[in-house]
Amino acid sequence: MLRLTVDEGGAGQRLDNFLLRLLKGVPKTHVYRVIRSGEVRVNKGRAAADTRLALGDEVRVPPVRTAQRDEAAPAPPREFPVVYEDEYLVVVDKPAGVAVHGGSGVSFGVIEQLRRARPQAKFLELVHRLDKETSGLLMLAKKRSALTALQDQLRQRPGEKVIGKTYAALVPGSWPEKLKVIDVPLHKFLTGEGERRVRTVEPGHEEAKRSITLVKVARRFRDFTLLDVTIKTGRTHQIRVHLAHAGHAIVGDPKYGDFALNKSLARGPAKFERMFLHAQRLRFVHPATGAEIGLEAPLPPECEAFLTTLAA
């Protein structure tokens, strides 16, 4: 039996991601199986895959057999475009196709690469996450006090959320002008292969989590609509599933999108091969000064270029 005390590197992480990083070589399906069975304990109690670990938590892990494999190469050092930075936090413009952290078949992500690029940093942790396929503003804390304060802002109830995140999303078809609020509960589940998925459910579902997305039309094209999407709750894949539920899945979405359309766009003249979802604007209260800060990241060149072809 392995007993571990969560340090600053693991604090704030989900239990499943913590274990996947710890148990290199153990199949993902097995990791989720031991969590569901209750064999993994946090502070002597049962815990779910999405349990957030805190500094000092004791995690008890049952004996598991790991596959023999070569030691993984360390993450290469990499800096990302900085939009804002001070002694408390840094906000970067994450490119699409880069995970925010290692795990789930990914050796490393933004956090590991930044830590390697900044060996002098005593503390560097993700405040929130973005899907690998999503580009845009990503916030990291440089002090534990900042991490705690910013995550407290994120955890506030939907109507009281201080941190505001607005995304640019391109969808096929004509988005209904009157559809401005999507208030549909979501349920996170695992496929038979252990892959994380999300679906809409009825409000009475036992595992339903209320999810609220605000949608505003930014620009219309002949066959597409560019949307400004603001999330009032931060559920996994929330925007992707809500827009798909409304009948307008995000262009290029590999999990919930129109796969035939995605393929035709990738093979077409524009060769657009990514998901068109970009964390464009971020608003938060500074953890030390109390000042409200608003940041913006312009659309990536490939997204701007694709919109140009649509407007032609």
Side-chain angles (χ1 to χ4, degrees):
M1 189 68 65
L2 182 62
R3 285 182 170 81
L4 299 166
T5 300
V6 177
D7 60 13
E8 291 189 347
Q13 270 203 318
R14 287 168 48 114
L15 176 61
D16 54 356
N17 290 329
F18 177 81
L19 292 178
L20 288 167
R21 186 174 69 171
L22 172 72
L23 304 174
K24 298 291 187 184
V26 177
K28 186 176 179 180
T29 51
H30 184 67
V31 171
Y32 282 101
R33 192 177 302 123
V34 295
I35 294 174
R36 285 196 300 269
S37 69
E39 295 177 77
V40 177
R41 297 276 171 155
V42 176
N43 299 328
K44 300 183 180 179
R46 290 180 70 121
D50 61 355
T51 295
R52 293 283 178 187
L53 299 175
L55 186 68
D57 279 352
E58 183 187 72
V59 181
R60 190 187 75 185
V61 185
V64 291
R65 181 177 298 175
T66 60
Q68 293 296 318
R69 69 180 195 179
D70 295 335
E71 187 69 25
R78 179 180 177 182
E79 285 282 355
F80 296 86
V82 173
V83 179
Y84 176 91
E85 184 169 12
D86 61 21
E87 62 182 302
Y88 294 93
L89 62 117
V90 56
V91 180
V92 300
D93 188 356
K94 183 188 87 68
V98 180
V100 296
H101 59 70
S104 302
V106 178
S107 300
F108 53 82
V110 172
I111 186 66
E112 291 88 0
Q113 290 181 290
L114 265 181
R115 285 174 180 157
R116 285 271 295 167
R118 302 179 174 206
Q120 75 284 358
K122 295 180 179 179
F123 185 90
L124 195 60
E125 289 289 346
L126 293 163
V127 173
H128 63 105
R129 286 156 176 75
L130 292 177
D131 292 341
K132 180 180 178 182
E133 301 91 346
T134 304
S135 57
L137 297 169
L138 179 67
M139 186 161 39
L140 302 97
K142 296 167 71 174
K143 292 179 182 288
R144 176 154 296 282
S145 59
L147 177 67
T148 302
L150 291 166
Q151 289 186 335
D152 282 347
Q153 291 183 44
L154 282 169
R155 291 191 188 103
Q156 292 188 50
R157 289 178 295 186
E160 301 175 347
K161 184 173 284 294
V162 178
I163 290 184
K165 293 187 282 187
T166 300
Y167 295 71
L170 185 72
V171 298
S174 179
W175 184 270
E177 193 70 45
K178 293 182 179 179
L179 183 50
K180 297 180 179 180
V181 180
I182 303 175
D183 187 351
V184 180
L186 297 177
H187 166 52
K188 187 162 51 178
F189 67 99
L190 292 173
T191 66
E193 294 74 37
E195 191 171 355
R196 184 174 56 182
R197 283 285 195 277
V198 178
R199 60 189 165 208
T200 59
V201 292
E202 295 299 318
H205 191 283
E206 62 179 355
E207 295 187 55
K209 290 191 175 182
R210 191 180 183 193
S211 307
I212 303 172
T213 302
L214 308 182
V215 184
K216 184 172 71 173
V217 173
R219 189 176 176 189
R220 292 188 183 276
F221 300 90
R222 188 180 66 181
D223 299 314
F224 298 87
T225 309
L226 181 65
L227 303 173
D228 266 353
V229 185
T230 301
I231 52 174
K232 306 302 286 185
T233 51
R235 311 299 183 200
T236 300
H237 298 170
Q238 177 176 322
I239 296 175
R240 300 165 67 173
V241 177
H242 268 176
L243 298 190
H245 174 74
H248 298 268
I250 297 172
V251 166
D253 189 334
K255 290 185 177 179
Y256 307 100
D258 182 330
F259 307 123
L261 174 64
N262 294 347
K263 185 179 291 187
S264 69
L265 293 176
R267 294 177 176 176
K271 293 194 177 347
F272 191 73
E273 301 177 289
R274 59 158 289 184
M275 181 170 71
F276 201 122
L277 184 61
H278 177 68
Q280 192 166 28
R281 292 190 292 278
L282 179 65
R283 189 189 72 257
F284 60 95
V285 174
H286 193 281
T289 68
E292 185 170 307
I293 294 177
L295 304 174
E296 186 162 352
L299 282 175
E302 68 272 17
C303 292
E304 285 284 11
F306 184 56
L307 293 182
T308 300
T309 67
L310 297 182

